[in-house]
Amino acid sequence: ECMNLGYDPSWLPLVKRGVVLAFAHTRGGGDLGKSWYRSGCRENKVRGIEDFEACADYLRSRFDGRPLTAKAFSAGGVLVAAVANRRPGLFDKVVLTNAFLDVLKTMQNPSLFLTEHEYPEFGDPQSDNDIDEVIRSYCPVFNLQPDLQANAGTEFLLICSLDDSNVPYWNSTIYYKKLVSGVFSTESNPKKRIFLDIQTEGGHSIVGPNRIHVSSIENAFLLNS
C-alpha cells in the first residue's frame, strides 16, 4: 500500500533554515504495486538497501558540498544503518529513532511482539538457512564495524523508548554501545558525535508531550554544525 507522506510541523524549522528534504521510496514499499513491494522483501531485502544507497549517491552529486543527513524511523532504520555500514562516511549525520537495528536476533526470537508478524517482510531465519544468511549480510548490528565508523567521522543520534513494544529499546542501546566502543579507540571523547537519548514513555510512535521533545532533539542535532 502506498503511504501518504502527509505533513509534519517539525519539518518547518528545517525548511526555514534552508534544509532540503528528500524522501526515498525504496523497494519493499507499496509505491509501485505488489511486485515492487515483493522485490524488496525476504531474500531480496538488500535491494531496498541498494535503492536507498543510490538515492544518497544522487543527493551527494546533486548537492555537492552540502552536508547529507540520513534519518529513519522504525523499520527504515534497517536501510539507513545498513547503508551507513556499507559506506562509512557517506552521511555526515545519521538520525535513528526507534529504529529496527538488531534484525538477526529479533527475527530469531518468535516470542517478541512483532517477530512472526514480520516473517513475510524479512523471512524466518530459524526455519530457512538461506534467509538466515541473507539477514546476516545486512543486519545493522551484526555488520557494524566500529573501527571503520571511527575513521569516517559521521555523527550519530539514536533515540529509543523504554515502553516501545514494536522495536524494543535495546536495538538502539546495543548499536550505540558497539559504535562507541570502536570510536573510543581513536577519540578521547566519542560522545561529542555519538548521542543516545532514551525516552521513558511515548511508545513506538512517541506520542504525547514527548513528541515535541524528541522533534526538538532531532532538529537541534540536524542543525548544529
Side-chain angles (χ1 to χ4, degrees):
E1 181 178 334
C2 182
M3 295 181 66
N4 187 344
L5 285 176
Y7 172 73
D8 188 336
S10 68
W11 299 339
L12 188 58
L14 302 176
V15 174
K16 282 187 173 181
R17 289 164 175 79
V19 175
V20 176
L21 303 181
F23 299 89
H25 298 277
T26 62
R27 275 172 284 193
D31 300 277
L32 294 179
K34 286 292 184 182
S35 62
W36 178 256
Y37 164 74
R38 294 192 185 98
S39 68
C41 294
R42 295 173 58 84
E43 64 273 8
N44 297 318
K45 194 66 181 175
V46 71
R47 289 180 178 170
I49 296 169
E50 292 169 347
D51 287 349
F52 188 79
E53 186 176 4
C55 291
D57 282 331
Y58 169 77
L59 291 172
R60 271 294 188 200
S61 63
R62 176 67 176 80
F63 298 97
D64 185 36
R66 297 188 63 173
L68 178 64
T69 295
K71 185 174 183 290
F73 168 74
S74 193
V78 177
L79 304 187
V80 169
V83 174
N85 285 345
R86 289 159 61 107
R87 299 276 300 280
L90 176 60
F91 305 112
D92 296 281
K93 296 185 178 185
V94 171
V95 179
L96 299 166
T97 303
N98 283 349
F100 188 21
L101 300 170
D102 199 350
V103 183
L104 181 62
K105 292 294 179 64
T106 298
M107 299 312 297
Q108 287 177 338
N109 186 354
S111 68
L112 293 175
F113 181 56
L114 285 181
T115 296
E116 293 183 341
H117 174 78
E118 293 292 351
Y119 284 161
E121 180 81 24
F122 295 94
D124 179 5
Q126 295 284 72
S127 62
D128 189 327
N129 290 333
D130 291 337
I131 290 294
D132 181 83
E133 184 177 347
V134 169
I135 291 177
R136 289 175 186 271
S137 74
Y138 67 78
C139 173
V141 166
F142 188 76
N143 288 282
L144 176 60
Q145 299 183 59
D147 55 332
L148 296 181
Q149 293 295 344
N151 296 323
T154 301
E155 297 179 30
F156 286 83
L157 170 63
L158 293 100
I159 300 174
C160 58
S161 298
L162 292 180
D163 61 347
D164 184 354
S165 58
N166 290 18
V167 180
Y169 71 92
W170 43 258
N171 280 266
S172 295
T173 57
I174 291 173
Y175 191 87
Y176 172 82
K177 182 179 180 180
K178 189 173 181 180
L179 186 60
V180 168
S181 67
V183 179
F184 258 123
S185 64
T186 60
E187 299 179 19
S188 59
N189 188 6
K191 294 181 181 180
K192 286 184 177 180
R193 67 177 178 91
I194 303 173
F195 304 92
L196 172 66
D197 180 79
I198 301 177
Q199 296 290 309
T200 57
E201 58 184 357
H204 185 59
S205 298
I206 309 182
V207 296
N210 293 52
R211 182 64 184 170
I212 297 175
H213 177 66
V214 168
S215 295
S216 299
I217 293 173
E218 292 173 336
N219 285 354
F221 175 77
L222 292 170
L223 294 170
N224 183 50
S225 59

